[in-house]
Amino acid sequence: MQYYVVKYSGPFGFIKPWTAVRDSETFSQQFLTPSVIEGMEKKLFPELLEETGGGRVIRRHRLNYCGVDVQLERTWSKGGFKYTKEKGIYKSNQSTLKRGVLLMPHLYLAFDEQTYAERASYQTICLCRNEDLLFPDEVKQMPEVEFNGISGFELQPADAATGFKVGHNRFGEGRSMYGKLVITGYPIRNEG
């Protein structure tokens, strides 16, 4: 099988784990869930907005990075910033969270058709947080065996019996998603 692969890179990336809604310390996932893939497809190819089911045009992915940086992020509860004064002390609904963010991630998206890869190569994407943009570096045609040699993490489809739960599909009425994590080579790059 032949793939057309778009390589994306950027300074930071964060993939929010489904269990980390209100955790005070969260580290980025190292793989893309089926709903994240579907969201990327809908962003890159708006004609897919009305269709359901990810993996229609993005056939495979591979993610690697240089390390994890713990960053502090200021948040507040739903409804915006509020404060009260009790016994002369101001209290607010703000808190500080620790986010373990991927440093210098490389994301490889594999497509069956060259036209999809070319269209994707003119657009930026983000893994989950809008501020963590990844930019296209190159488009490369490669056989599946070469793609399989790219170091990184990839979540492959599975069910409850053969994989582990990776969240609930926001595009699929909240159904449970399962996957099998494949780790190839050295997914944490040593650059510097």
Side-chain angles (χ1 to χ4, degrees):
M1 171 163 253
Q2 196 74 2
Y3 288 132
Y4 299 92
V5 179
V6 182
K7 177 186 173 190
Y8 289 89
S9 61
F12 298 108
F14 181 77
I15 306 167
K16 182 178 176 183
W18 69 283
T19 58
V21 176
R22 294 283 181 225
D23 293 348
S24 63
E25 187 170 2
T26 305
F27 287 88
S28 176
Q29 277 187 169
Q30 299 160 329
F31 55 86
L32 304 179
T33 64
S35 64
V36 172
I37 293 287
E38 185 170 353
M40 285 183 180
E41 285 182 342
K42 290 177 185 314
K43 188 271 181 197
L44 294 170
F45 311 104
E47 66 271 19
L48 299 176
L49 282 170
E50 300 302 318
E51 298 184 28
T52 57
R56 291 182 181 274
V57 293
I58 299 173
R59 297 296 180 200
R60 306 264 312 270
H61 72 275
R62 203 52 68 85
L63 178 66
N64 59 51
Y65 56 94
C66 287
V68 173
D69 182 51
V70 177
Q71 301 176 349
L72 299 179
E73 185 175 310
R74 186 74 123 160
T75 65
W76 51 78
S77 302
K78 188 176 179 180
F81 176 74
K82 296 178 182 162
Y83 70 92
T84 59
K85 185 176 178 182
E86 294 178 20
K87 298 182 182 177
I89 299 172
Y90 287 96
K91 296 181 180 183
S92 74
N93 62 344
Q94 289 185 320
S95 63
T96 303
L97 305 176
K98 293 180 182 178
R99 298 267 189 242
V101 176
L102 304 177
L103 291 175
M104 296 171 42
H106 288 175
L107 174 65
Y108 300 84
L109 298 181
F111 300 90
D112 284 344
E113 297 180 26
Q114 185 173 2
T115 55
Y116 285 128
E118 288 173 354
R119 284 178 61 193
S121 72
Y122 290 105
Q123 301 178 60
T124 60
I125 58 172
C126 61
L127 299 177
C128 278
R129 291 196 315 181
N130 294 340
E131 60 267 28
D132 296 338
L133 287 179
L134 299 182
F135 298 89
D137 286 344
E138 62 184 352
V139 178
K140 187 176 178 185
Q141 184 177 354
M142 63 177 70
E144 185 175 23
V145 92
E146 185 180 343
F147 183 83
N148 290 340
I150 297 172
S151 292
F153 297 97
E154 180 177 8
L155 187 76
Q156 294 181 346
D159 57 26
T162 60
F164 61 96
K165 189 170 184 176
V166 296
H168 299 278
N169 193 333
R170 60 192 173 111
F171 297 111
E173 300 173 357
R175 284 190 300 275
S176 295
M177 299 182 296
Y178 297 91
K180 177 175 57 176
L181 187 62
V182 175
I183 303 168
T184 306
Y186 299 97
I188 302 174
R189 301 187 323 273
N190 186 8
E191 295 177 6

